[in-house]
Amino acid sequence: MPEQGRFTGRAAIVTGAARGIGAATAARLAAEGAQVLLADQAPEVMAQAEALGGVGLRIDLAARGAGEVVVDTALDAFGRLDILVNNAGIGGSKPLLESDDDLIDRFIDTNLKAVLRLTRAAIPHLARPGGRIVSVSSTFGIAGYPGTTAYAVAKAGIAQMTRQLAGELAPEGILVNAVAPGVIETAMTKGHLGNDYYRRAVLEPTPLRRAGTPEEVAAVIAFLASADAAYVAGQVIAVDGGWLAARHPPREAG
């Protein structure tokens, strides 16, 4: 259960907050007392923010200048910034030979460059000490998986950004970490989870034999954003049911 008041008096930005991991994270932080700005391109973000008593912002995070708009909106609303959760991203990658320039640009622009720009805009305003940056990478950014090249490269960039910034910002009291989700039940994975081959190839080899939930990822993000993680920096924590650690043979079909 959430610890009431763990984030009381703190202000957070959560991107990709209209649904899935972002929505669950915003709800978790708000439940523990944080003031939360929910940023997303999807219109549902406004209702999500209203339900949580937060501030909603519809914005294309991949656009130039979007990072500054997000940060300025949070500062105008809350007067401070303590936590940045970089969650927004897209899926649906293809093998590299099937990836045209537009697809590659779309993944790099949304899943990597937008995160770099928003983080750059946020750093000068994060609390010192006590600031937190938590980004969402992926197990596919750590271990190779065929057919996901542009997506995987962008998510690997998030993991390396985390390590790089941890070294730069920890001396100032800002801790930078990331999570690497495995298969999580979201709108992005719904089609895959209904595919028998995908379930046998990816889901069943997971030691826990199931997909995770957005709330399970949000719980780890909340830990990394809290004072409980005061001696954790530069880590990319897999929330994957054990997929990276050990893989079970898939069950026989039929």
Side-chain angles (χ1 to χ4, degrees), residues 37-46 56-61 69:
L37 170 68
L38 294 78
D40 201 301
Q41 194 169 11
E44 301 94 312
V45 72
M46 304 309 293
L57 177 63
R58 284 194 65 189
I59 189 168
D60 178 3
L61 291 160
V69 172

Side-chain angles (χ1 to χ4, degrees), residues 6 9 12 18 47 62-63 70 112 132 173 226 250:
R6 187 163 56 162
V70 172
L112 182 56
R132 298 286 193 272
S226 76

